[in-house]
Amino acid sequence: MSRRRAALFAATFAVYLLVLAGVLLNTDLVDLDWSVRLLRPYDRWPSLEPLLNTWVVAGQRGPSAIAAFAWLLWRAHRLGRLRPLLVMGVALLLLNVTVGAVKIVTGRLGPHYAQYVGSPELFSGGTIFPSGHTANAVVTWGVLAYLAVRWRRTGAVIAAGTACSIGLTTVYLGTHWVSDVLAGWAAGLLVLLSLPLLEPLVAVAEQRLHRRFAR
């Protein structure tokens, strides 16, 4: 990992911890969550809801994974390598384990199920923090940019825009708190920044699969 990437990883991890601490300690970040929740964006600007209900699907694990893997299958076939598929698989596995663990531990309820105004709604059996929608959008579309060759910068800009808009859309729809989305962005970016460290694992897995299929 380069120094620049390591510094970005450390900064992102620090942001992730700050957001987590802000929610656990019931700081001003929770007040911001509730301010946006009580604003009810979906009631103030209802004309946006049909469009954003459709757009948020781009962050759902199933539809986004199907679209991404379709392109990855084509790229794997063109390169004659399994690496594109393996990188995506490893990235999604790492994302599910890390984000899933925090969801289970915090047990946070979403805005629509919140019971006490001003409360962070933790340890109540919810699975809302961090935002899986947001983190999944960061990783799924970010991996496509990571694997791109000619259009990597353009792909990175598109992936970032998609991930940002997906996160904001969940806040508009009231399915996530602002802090959920901030943590989701950080969690997804941490996975992307970890990918170079996982390349040796991907290479070993690719070699073993090639040997098995070659028999």
Side-chain angles (χ1 to χ4, degrees), residues 89-101:
V90 169
L92 291 179
L93 177 61
L94 180 59
L95 175 70
N96 291 337
V97 170
T98 54
V99 170

Side-chain angles (χ1 to χ4, degrees), residues 179-200:
S179 55
D180 296 342
V181 172
L182 294 176
W185 282 332
L189 184 55
L190 287 174
V191 171
L192 288 182
L193 292 171
S194 300
L195 289 181
L197 300 177
L198 300 174
E199 287 289 356

Side-chain angles (χ1 to χ4, degrees), residues 45-193:
W45 302 285
S47 60
L48 296 174
E49 190 167 0
L51 173 64
L52 295 181
N53 266 324
T54 302
W55 175 239
V56 80
V57 174
Q60 288 181 350
R61 186 170 306 157
S64 62
I66 291 172
F69 272 105
W71 181 80
L72 292 171
L73 279 170
W74 171 82
R75 184 154 182 79
H77 174 72
R78 185 176 180 183
L79 295 174
R81 297 187 58 186
L82 294 173
R83 177 176 173 267
L85 294 169
L86 291 173
V87 169
M88 180 64 83
V90 169
L92 291 179
L93 177 61
L94 180 59
L95 175 70
N96 291 337
V97 170
T98 54
V99 170
V102 178
K103 283 178 175 288
I104 293 172
V105 171
T106 56
R108 193 181 196 189
L109 295 176
H112 287 313
Y113 302 97
Q115 300 175 2
Y116 306 103
V117 176
S119 167
E121 300 292 339
L122 294 168
F123 315 119
S124 301
T127 56
I128 210 74
F129 180 89
S131 168
H133 253 83
T134 303
N136 184 73
V138 173
V139 171
T140 301
W141 306 116
V143 167
L144 296 187
Y146 174 79
L147 293 171
V149 178
R150 293 184 180 180
W151 306 100
R152 178 171 291 184
R153 290 187 178 180
T154 302
V157 171
I158 294 174
T162 301
C164 288
S165 62
I166 291 295
L168 295 175
T169 296
T170 64
V171 173
Y172 165 86
L173 295 173
T175 55
H176 278 290
W177 307 99
V178 172
S179 55
D180 296 342
V181 172
L182 294 176
W185 282 332
L189 184 55
L190 287 174
V191 171
L192 288 182
L193 292 171

